[in-house]
Amino acid sequence: MENPEGVSVKHNVIDLNSATNRMAGGTSLENANPLIFQRSGERLLTATDEDDDITDPIDDREIFDPYLIRNINDPEHPLSLEELNVVEQVRVNVNEQENGVSVEFTPTIPHCSMATLIGLSIKVKLLRSLPDRFKIDVHITPGAHASEEAVNKQLADKERVAAALENAQLLEVVNQCLTSKSV
Amino acid sequence: MLRWLKVNARSSRMATDSTLLLGLVEEFVSGQQDTKATETAKGVKTGQFTVLQLVEALGLSLTSSQQETRARGVKLLSQVLQECYSYLNEREVEVLVAFYENRLKDHYVIIPPVLQGLKALTKSSALPPGSAVSILKSVFQDTHVQSLMIQERSCVYNILMNLMESREQELKGLGSDFVFGFVQSMDGERDPRNLLLSFQIAGNIIAHGYEMGKFTEELFEVTSCYFPIDFTPPPNDPHGITQEDLILSLRAVLTGTPLFAEFLMPLIIEKLDSDVQSAKVDSLQTLAACGPVYGHKELAQFLSGLWSSLRREVFQTASERVETAALSALSALTACLSRSVISSDSDDSLHTLLDLVLKDCQHHLLEPDLKLVWPSAKILQAVGGASYRACLRVGSAVVPLLLEQYINRTQSAQRRTLLEVLQGFIQPTEASRPAEGEENVLLPFQSSLCGVVFSALSESGAGLQTTATRILTALGQQSGVLTPPDVDLAVDHLTTLILQEDDPQVSGAVVECCGSLAPLHPSAFTSRMVPKLKEHIFTEPMVQGNGPSPDELGSQNAVRQRCVTALARVACEPSLVQESTPVLLQVLTAAHTGGGSFSVDEVISVCHSLQRIAEHAPHMEAEIGQFFHDVIIPRLLGLALQAAVQDEGPCGRSPLVEEAVLSAVAPVISSCCSRLNADCAKLSASRAVSLFLNGDVAFLPNNNLPTNTQLLKTPSPQVSQLVCLLTASVCSLPRSVEIPEIDRLLKDLEEVSCTHTHSFTHTFAAKCYAGLINKRPNGPALDAVLERSMKRVSVELDNSASCLRTQALTLLLWVTKALLLRYHPLSTTLTDKLFSLLSDRALGPLVADGFSLLMSDSSDVLNRSCHADVRIMYRQRFFSENSAKLVQGFNSAPPEEKAGYLKALSHIMNNLPREVQMTELPALLPLFLEALSCPDVGVQLSTLSCLQPVLLDPPSALTNQLESLIPRVLTLTTSRAMKVRITSLRCVHSLSRLPDHMLLPFRARVLRALAAPLDDKKRLVRKEAVLARGEWFLLGSPGR
């Protein structure tokens, strides 16, 4: 009765426990003093944006826009994924015709145990925010993490993602990452 | 005791109805009729019988061997006393107190009414000396408070409160026994209401200096055991006590006295380790509250412990709330240590703390790429901002370090971070500002600081330049930090930036900086900046080959634009106004004569700049007002008139005949006229009137204009549209200024507004007419004018074949507005006329939109800055007078006319203050829901934008209608009009803030419906859809 799905969920729980334990404050963070990066500016409004007759295609920049992925909160720091350079616009790729979106993310250190959680947050945000015609692919920037393959495999597996979101604790952390601060 | 009472009662018996009293007692005690207590109390109050007679009548019940009967008896007495304690004299109180104290020893079922009675007696002002102490002794001795029920415990606390209020001195005579008694009473209390009371008592004990003696720690223990407060009010919150109430009252106790410091500090350090965020925040805020109360003595031994906890909270937190609270606590501690007087035998604890902070934070400033640079900077700024002494120490350590780092680093991003950090140390806070005789903290580094700022200003990065400009602004505001050569250099840098830097963020900061430095150093600006800007404004673009390319032309325009903005911003002081406004006027003249190729947009922006100067200049009534009156207004009028009467020149039409330009010139005149002093205003009025009525051009400069043109009677729109300048000149003057020849003026204006075919002209004539009418005093003259004009309007409107109906309607709308603002009785008639026109086939839509004009503030006439007669709350009044008519009209209108009513209604609602919207909305909700389904896009949009703010905090009438509201709003998210889609999505977003239990039934439906707009063709719509859907996903989900 070995069920591979069960194992994966369990793995997520372990991830989460180590994460929540550290966030409790007693122990120090894995990477207490990460590099930080400038936020990019807002997209300027143009006349065509207001014109109801023109169709605006979904582009890389839009996926990166603040209401989508770049303002997702980091689970550990009071910083956005953009400020930690975990997501960058050049690592976002949209193919409007073939309905594909691919996002690469770069954990701040190669052993970051938050990688799955961050990936899951990005994936969930995109699932909630993009039309369902898109196939969403979220994976680690090649070479940026020790267990890259394992994490990518988890993120690519629909059922595992769904199962992970059944876990209330995990969902809570994901939701915290997706809660907008400016409200 | 009873016997004594009986004797007294008998001797004072008067002709009272003792049988009645006995009856009442009997019915209360044996008959168990609680209402009889009120009747008895009423009898006492009316003098029908006395308390002593009541006691006598109670006699048997009070001495009964049945404890239930005794309890009933005491209860009646206590309830009567509760209402009648103020009728008692000292002797009576004394006896009753002795009685009640004695009863405290009785059976437990009697205790509740006994305590109630005592509570009533403690409120009496006739309480004899000594009673307070004896009551307390008995209560402390004979009752075990925590084994009583909630209400009885509350009674005990109230007894304490009452006595503390009236018998403070007596209670203090008890010494620390009082505190001990209280500690025992509240030990173990769990009810939130009683806790609030007991915290209040504890707070009073501390605040009023009751002796705590050896029970200090006990008092701390018995209160601090609740810290941090963890309380969730029960559902539907019957007592209205929030966690916040409890937190604040407990905090007042714990931080009330330095005597608690030795117990509180370790407790706070311990609780800061908590995993619960609210506990952390509470601990930090409590720590901050100690600052004003404590001295260095209390804090000294805990400094290193506190610092390491606080540092951790700032360095490692993921929560901004915790960070902010930790920084304020740190700042409060520093302020406390800075305030304390140092004794000669102890170290300065301020330096102990600052040493710790500097040691742990300073080195992070050397790593501008890493995250901790920011928390460290925030800590140092919080500490440095706490006091002058701290600022001196931190500033002298950090500022040179940052300056050195800036010079050594070469990467622009690092420099930018360093400069941004530095910026936080430049502006002193209220607390750290040097006092009289103290030197500015920055003075020792003045020259290197200026060096770095100037070097950053000449770098290429927009971020660096912006930050450097902001630093310069802060430096300029501190006296003595910029030397005169520095100021000159700064002005030169700013000038260069204006001329060369096209990044909007930089130019914004530069203009701000100019605005703040100019009033402090006007001569540097007049001599160095204004001439250069002027030179650039009038430099022709370099002509190469076939003239400038569009790109070059665009950038040339942008430079001019920045120069004009800067000129307007620096003109905030008479000498600068006199330097810079002539340059702006020269631009207008050049534009008019065709020199310098100024575009219409540039001319408009010059007018906006002049308007800004007129609005912001200080002392407008004095020098600057005179200058505007003497020079600027005549020049503007002259230019406009010249442009209007001349034929098209070789360079095409003058921009000054454009409606857009005139609309920008008018506000310059009106904002100036509204600020003139009485003499200038009077002169200004007569000049304007004689110019427009008689063509008197004598006061205009460069006079080569035709005289005696009757401007108001010219059919040419190019001339007649100048009426907008007349409006600006005469409608914004103070009400006390008399307008010459007003009747002739009104007559001419009426004629123009009713007959002119040029829409701009007849609309402005109507506005001018309305603006004057609004200010005219009541009386036969006004009535006559109004009657004549309204009759004319009526005739025109009733003639459906007339081609001047739009003109008549416009005049009607403006006059209605003018009158309803001042509560003129005629406004009702006119409003009704408008209602009747709602069903007019041709004019209906215009009328419906006209309600927006009636209800919103008009920017050019009939507003308060034009000194119009505007009564407060005229909108509410209009609404309450007319909403019923609208609803009725809506209900009886045929379907094709309903939209007009809905539109009118939504215009009215949209302009009401929010509080009124909230109260009025319930009654109109059915109409609003109907309006959402109305096919007219304008109605939908206006209704949605009215609903959206209401949805942030909706009244219950609305939340009961979610079942019909939500589907309607969701339908509109796929409307054909983009604005409707956006606003409806915002409404869906706002709805997500309602309590979860109301929304959860709709969650699935909303999420499904919002999937469609996620694929909208417009990005702005998708954005709103993503935001709204994201919030709805979080509903009822953990971690929100």
Side-chain angles (χ1 to χ4, degrees):
Chain A
M1 289 292 285
E2 282 283 305
N3 177 2
E5 300 302 325
V7 177
S8 112
V9 175
K10 216 168 172 185
H11 177 76
N12 275 327
V13 174
I14 291 164
D15 252 358
L16 172 74
N17 285 342
S18 65
T20 41
N21 282 347
R22 265 184 299 97
M23 280 190 293
T27 47
S28 65
L29 304 175
E30 265 176 12
N31 185 8
N33 198 4
L35 274 165
I36 49 171
F37 295 80
Q38 293 288 340
R39 289 154 168 270
S40 44
E42 299 285 311
R43 189 198 283 261
L44 292 174
L45 214 58
T46 61
T48 55
D49 284 333
E50 313 268 8
D51 188 341
D52 214 350
D53 297 329
I54 294 173
T55 301
D56 311 325
I58 297 181
D59 56 14
D60 301 355
R61 170 70 195 253
E62 182 166 346
I63 302 295
F64 194 64
D65 264 339
Y67 55 90
L68 275 159
I69 63 173
R70 72 182 161 109
N71 272 13
I72 296 178
N73 307 319
D74 182 80
E76 287 192 316
H77 300 284
L79 296 168
S80 68
L81 295 187
E82 180 189 21
E83 286 168 307
L84 290 167
N85 220 33
V86 172
V87 291
E88 296 162 88
Q89 194 180 329
V90 290
R91 302 194 184 281
V92 175
N93 200 336
V94 177
N95 190 330
E96 182 75 269
Q97 277 75 44
E98 291 172 24
N99 295 329
V101 170
S102 123
V103 174
E104 285 180 355
F105 68 102
T106 320
T108 55
I109 47 170
H111 294 280
C112 181
S113 63
M114 295 286 167
T116 320
L117 195 57
I118 294 173
L120 194 59
S121 301
I122 299 174
K123 179 112 185 181
V124 170
K125 180 71 190 178
L126 293 177
L127 284 171
R128 289 177 182 177
S129 311
L130 288 179
D132 53 11
R133 63 189 162 94
F134 281 99
K135 182 182 174 329
I136 294 158
D137 170 32
V138 174
H139 58 269
I140 291 184
T141 309
H145 196 267
S147 29
E148 184 185 327
E149 227 171 288
V151 176
N152 286 348
K153 206 168 159 195
Q154 288 195 51
L155 292 174
D157 189 326
K158 250 190 191 168
E159 312 236 326
R160 287 189 191 194
V161 170
L165 294 180
E166 296 285 309
N167 176 329
Q169 260 184 306
L170 197 47
L171 183 61
E172 179 175 348
V173 185
V174 169
N175 280 342
Q176 275 163 1
C177 294
L178 301 185
T179 302
S180 53
K181 283 185 180 164
S182 54
V183 174
Chain B
M1 183 216 68
L2 272 176
R3 188 177 316 135
W4 179 87
L5 276 175
K6 282 177 192 164
V7 172
N8 265 282
R10 199 170 295 136
S11 66
S12 65
R13 176 185 289 174
M14 301 199 292
T16 52
D17 195 350
S18 67
T19 33
L20 171 65
L21 182 54
L22 280 171
L24 286 169
V25 170
E26 177 66 19
E27 284 169 62
F28 186 90
V29 177
S30 320
Q32 302 281 331
Q33 296 189 34
D34 287 351
T35 49
K36 297 299 166 190
T38 331
E39 285 179 39
T40 318
K42 203 169 154 198
V44 173
K45 280 193 216 163
T46 55
Q48 208 174 357
F49 25 78
T50 66
V51 172
L52 295 182
Q53 284 163 339
L54 170 63
V55 174
E56 188 186 40
L58 275 167
L60 280 177
S61 325
L62 296 182
T63 50
S64 158
S65 59
Q66 297 286 314
Q67 58 247 20
E68 284 77 17
T69 313
R70 290 207 301 282
R72 250 347 246 184
V74 178
K75 187 172 181 187
L76 176 58
L77 181 58
S78 297
Q79 290 194 346
V80 171
L81 287 180
Q82 254 173 346
E83 298 196 33
C84 308
Y85 60 86
S86 55
Y87 295 82
L88 300 173
N89 63 35
E90 190 173 312
R91 181 72 188 135
E92 289 167 324
V93 174
E94 189 175 1
V95 174
L96 286 165
V97 165
F99 165 72
Y100 275 112
E101 283 177 1
N102 189 268
R103 286 301 96 196
L104 275 173
K105 297 185 180 29
D106 203 336
H107 193 269
Y108 73 91
V109 295
I110 303 176
I111 301 299
V114 169
L115 287 170
Q116 271 189 353
L118 278 173
K119 182 175 118 185
L121 289 173
T122 54
K123 282 194 246 175
S124 161
S125 54
L127 201 64
S131 301
V133 169
S134 96
I135 291 175
L136 279 185
K137 278 193 169 157
S138 309
V139 170
F140 289 155
Q141 227 162 53
D142 296 327
T143 54
H144 179 249
V145 178
Q146 289 307 318
S147 39
L148 299 172
M149 302 296 282
I150 291 179
Q151 288 198 324
E152 282 72 60
R153 301 204 301 272
S154 162
C155 258
V156 173
Y157 299 130
N158 275 307
I159 290 172
L160 290 180
M161 294 271 279
N162 293 341
L163 293 176
M164 285 176 90
E165 200 167 299
S166 58
R167 307 289 140 151
E168 184 176 328
Q169 287 314 316
E170 282 184 46
L171 298 193
K172 283 184 174 168
L174 272 171
S176 55
D177 285 353
F178 174 64
V179 173
F180 180 66
F182 165 67
V183 166
Q184 282 198 317
S185 317
M186 81 160 285
D187 192 357
E189 181 61 65
R190 296 197 64 84
D191 179 74
R193 289 160 289 177
N194 284 339
L195 271 178
L196 270 185
L197 280 174
S198 41
F199 289 156
Q200 209 176 337
I201 296 171
N204 286 345
I205 289 178
I206 294 166
H208 295 265
Y210 286 78
E211 184 188 335
M212 293 190 275
K214 55 183 191 264
F215 301 115
T216 310
E217 184 166 5
E218 272 77 8
L219 182 60
F220 178 78
E221 287 300 332
V222 82
T223 45
S224 66
C225 63
Y226 301 98
F227 179 81
I229 297 266
D230 180 20
F231 168 62
T232 320
N236 73 32
D237 197 15
H239 320 306
I241 294 178
T242 63
Q243 162 139 336
E244 193 64 15
D245 296 335
L246 288 165
I247 287 178
L248 291 178
S249 59
L250 175 59
R251 187 175 299 157
V253 175
L254 297 182
T255 63
T257 167
L259 294 174
F260 283 166
E262 56 175 317
F263 318 117
L264 180 60
M265 290 299 113
L267 181 67
I268 285 186
I269 293 174
E270 181 197 321
K271 296 296 178 193
L272 279 176
D273 279 338
S274 162
D275 293 349
V276 185
Q277 203 198 71
S278 63
K280 273 189 197 207
V281 173
D282 190 5
S283 304
L284 290 166
Q285 288 172 343
T286 305
L287 181 57
C290 293
V293 184
Y294 288 6
H296 70 102
K297 208 166 65 254
E298 285 77 26
L299 291 172
Q301 54 167 319
F302 301 107
L303 282 181
S304 75
L306 285 171
W307 163 242
S308 63
S309 299
L310 291 170
R311 182 190 55 198
R312 187 192 59 218
E313 293 316 318
V314 181
F315 278 7
Q316 292 188 7
T317 186
S319 144
E320 277 171 49
R321 252 185 98 214
V322 174
E323 186 190 77
T324 316
L327 291 173
S328 338
L330 203 48
S331 171
L333 288 185
T334 316
C336 166
L337 295 174
S338 317
R339 201 178 50 233
S340 301
V341 182
I342 318 146
S343 59
S344 55
D345 57 343
S346 67
D347 293 335
D348 186 348
S349 326
L350 174 64
H351 283 282
T352 319
L353 177 66
L354 293 180
D355 285 340
L356 288 168
V357 174
L358 284 168
K359 182 172 132 294
D360 289 343
C361 293
Q362 213 172 358
H363 66 94
H364 288 301
L365 300 183
L366 307 180
E367 302 160 337
D369 288 332
L370 301 186
K371 177 205 160 195
L372 286 183
V373 69
W374 280 111
S376 301
K378 284 182 195 164
I379 288 178
L380 288 166
Q381 283 155 8
V383 172
S387 74
Y388 174 71
R389 278 173 64 210
C391 183
L392 203 57
R393 177 75 202 282
V394 173
S396 60
V398 170
V399 173
L401 184 77
L402 288 169
L403 293 174
E404 185 196 313
Q405 279 291 308
Y406 181 90
I407 294 163
N408 293 341
R409 301 274 176 173
T410 46
Q411 279 182 36
S412 154
Q414 295 175 332
R415 286 188 148 192
R416 179 176 167 176
T417 306
L418 287 164
L419 211 58
E420 279 174 1
V421 170
L422 180 65
Q423 190 193 343
F425 291 97
I426 299 301
Q427 186 70 49
T429 63
E430 206 50 61
S432 68
R433 212 175 289 283
E436 198 62 34
E438 287 173 339
E439 194 179 70
N440 190 306
V441 176
L442 301 170
L443 227 44
F445 328 108
Q446 187 270 340
S447 74
S448 43
L449 191 54
C450 288
V452 162
V453 170
F454 292 145
S455 111
L457 284 176
S458 38
E459 296 241 1
S460 56
L464 269 181
Q465 290 174 335
T466 312
T467 314
T469 313
R470 293 200 181 120
I471 295 182
L472 190 58
T473 312
L475 288 175
Q477 279 154 358
Q478 301 172 51
S479 64
V481 179
L482 293 183
T483 63
D486 288 332
V487 172
D488 288 350
L489 203 52
V491 174
D492 289 345
H493 273 288
L494 291 172
T495 312
T496 315
L497 285 174
I498 293 170
L499 297 177
Q500 290 174 1
E501 198 44 62
D502 51 9
D503 182 280
Q505 210 192 352
V506 179
S507 353
V510 167
V511 168
E512 273 313 299
C513 184
C514 292
S516 93
L517 294 187
L520 303 169
H521 312 283
S523 59
F525 281 86
T526 36
S527 63
R528 306 181 85 90
M529 181 179 276
V530 176
K532 278 207 187 130
L533 298 185
K534 181 179 173 184
E535 184 188 325
H536 270 267
I537 290 176
F538 292 106
T539 305
E540 287 285 331
M542 296 290 275
V543 181
Q544 288 172 338
N546 301 331
S549 72
D551 272 1
E552 284 166 340
L553 208 59
S555 88
Q556 168 78 10
N557 288 350
V559 175
R560 274 188 192 163
Q561 177 58 49
R562 291 198 298 273
C563 291
V564 166
T565 315
L567 278 177
R569 197 67 174 81
V570 299
C572 44
E573 192 267 351
S575 68
L576 278 164
V577 171
Q578 287 174 14
E579 286 296 324
S580 66
T581 45
V583 181
L584 298 175
L585 286 175
Q586 216 176 321
V587 174
L588 296 183
T589 315
H592 168 60
T593 52
S597 61
F598 290 95
S599 69
V600 169
D601 286 342
E602 283 177 290
V603 174
I604 290 174
S605 100
V606 166
C607 294
H608 287 325
S609 296
L610 282 170
Q611 184 191 350
R612 192 183 186 286
I613 297 174
E615 276 169 0
H616 287 78
H619 322 300
M620 188 66 183
E621 70 282 0
E623 257 176 291
I624 302 178
Q626 189 77 40
F627 180 71
F628 264 82
H629 173 262
D630 292 348
V631 179
I632 297 182
I633 296 182
R635 283 277 293 273
L636 289 174
L637 286 174
L639 277 173
L641 187 56
Q642 225 163 27
V645 295
Q646 84 182 4
D647 296 326
E648 216 164 279
C651 319
R653 262 155 52 111
S654 159
L656 280 131
V657 299
E658 302 287 341
E659 283 175 13
V661 173
L662 286 174
S663 305
V665 173
V668 182
I669 296 179
S670 81
S671 43
C672 169
C673 285
S674 66
R675 288 168 176 78
L676 290 178
N677 64 28
D679 293 338
C680 288
K682 202 169 159 215
L683 185 57
S684 186
S686 69
R687 280 172 172 184
V689 171
S690 67
L691 172 66
F692 278 88
L693 284 185
N694 310 324
D696 174 3
V697 295
F699 76 101
L700 301 178
N702 311 330
N703 212 328
N704 52 359
L705 294 159
T707 49
N708 305 329
T709 329
Q710 290 204 319
L711 297 174
L712 289 178
K713 301 206 165 150
T714 319
S716 147
Q718 192 166 312
V719 176
S720 68
Q721 65 186 356
L722 291 179
V723 70
C724 73
L725 302 184
L726 172 67
T727 311
S729 309
V730 296
C731 289
S732 51
L733 295 168
R735 247 178 281 169
S736 56
V737 177
E738 209 170 308
I739 311 286
E741 297 192 74
I742 180 134
D743 290 317
R744 202 175 129 212
L745 187 62
L746 286 173
K747 201 162 184 205
D748 283 6
L749 285 169
E750 177 197 311
E751 182 64 28
V752 177
S753 69
C754 287
T755 56
H756 214 287
T757 48
H758 183 226
S759 139
F760 185 88
T761 301
H762 80 73
T763 307
F764 265 94
K767 282 186 184 186
C768 191
Y769 183 89
L772 293 171
I773 286 288
N774 174 269
K775 290 184 192 170
R776 277 220 90 184
N778 276 326
L782 177 66
D783 295 342
V785 170
L786 282 174
E787 199 193 328
R788 186 191 67 215
S789 308
M790 290 305 105
K791 206 167 169 188
R792 178 165 184 182
V793 164
S794 234
V795 168
E796 209 63 70
L797 286 171
D798 293 342
N799 173 9
S800 56
S802 160
C803 56
L804 294 171
R805 293 182 83 210
T806 316
Q807 279 83 336
L809 175 64
T810 311
L811 184 60
L812 174 62
L813 279 169
W814 281 102
V815 172
T816 311
K817 184 175 171 84
L819 295 182
L820 81 90
L821 289 180
R822 60 182 270 189
Y823 288 5
H824 191 282
L826 190 61
S827 65
T828 322
T829 324
L830 300 185
T831 312
D832 288 345
K833 177 82 192 161
L834 287 172
F835 280 135
S836 69
L837 285 170
L838 269 175
S839 49
D840 185 288
R841 187 132 319 160
L843 295 179
L846 285 179
V847 177
D849 281 330
F851 280 89
S852 146
L853 183 156
L854 290 185
M855 288 290 102
S856 56
D857 280 323
S858 133
S859 61
D860 43 10
V861 288
L862 294 177
N863 56 44
R864 285 202 173 84
S865 58
C866 291
H867 308 286
D869 188 354
V870 182
R871 299 294 191 85
I872 53 166
M873 308 218 282
Y874 73 92
R875 293 189 179 91
Q876 283 91 314
R877 189 179 141 126
F878 185 82
F879 177 82
S880 55
E881 278 175 4
N882 296 302
S883 62
K885 289 183 208 162
L886 269 175
V887 174
Q888 205 188 349
F890 170 82
N891 288 332
S892 55
E896 68 276 12
E897 285 169 16
K898 281 189 191 287
Y901 286 93
L902 289 174
K903 195 181 252 183
L905 181 70
S906 62
H907 282 314
I908 299 173
M909 272 303 262
N910 250 328
N911 286 295
L912 286 178
R914 232 173 84 64
E915 306 80 62
V916 187
Q917 284 183 347
M918 301 287 270
T919 50
E920 299 298 344
L921 191 79
L924 296 172
L925 201 61
L927 240 67
F928 264 75
L929 292 174
E930 186 110 17
L932 287 178
S933 331
C934 165
D936 184 304
V937 169
V939 174
Q940 289 171 354
L941 193 60
S942 159
T943 313
L944 285 170
S945 42
C946 182
L947 270 178
Q948 199 222 330
V950 178
L951 290 177
L952 291 175
D953 183 13
S956 57
L958 192 64
T959 53
N960 296 335
Q961 295 278 343
L962 292 180
E963 192 60 53
S964 44
L965 175 70
I966 291 182
R968 287 183 157 94
V969 177
L970 286 178
T971 312
L972 295 178
T973 60
T974 49
S975 151
R976 70 197 144 83
M978 177 179 173
K979 279 193 177 147
V980 172
R981 300 202 295 275
I982 290 178
T983 324
S984 57
L985 285 166
R986 285 190 183 147
C987 286
V988 177
H989 190 173
S990 305
L991 278 169
S992 72
R993 296 194 205 175
L994 291 180
D996 284 2
H997 68 270
M998 296 183 188
L999 299 180
L1000 284 174
F1002 301 100
R1003 183 172 180 264
R1005 203 191 316 175
V1006 171
L1007 290 178
R1008 226 175 13 251
L1010 291 188
L1014 287 182
D1015 212 0
D1016 198 278
K1017 65 178 177 174
K1018 297 307 294 176
R1019 185 178 299 113
L1020 293 175
V1021 179
R1022 295 197 292 265
K1023 175 181 169 184
E1024 299 298 336
V1026 167
L1027 291 173
R1029 198 164 191 252
E1031 289 303 317
W1032 276 84
F1033 255 112
L1034 293 176
L1035 277 181
S1037 191
R1040 189 189 184 194

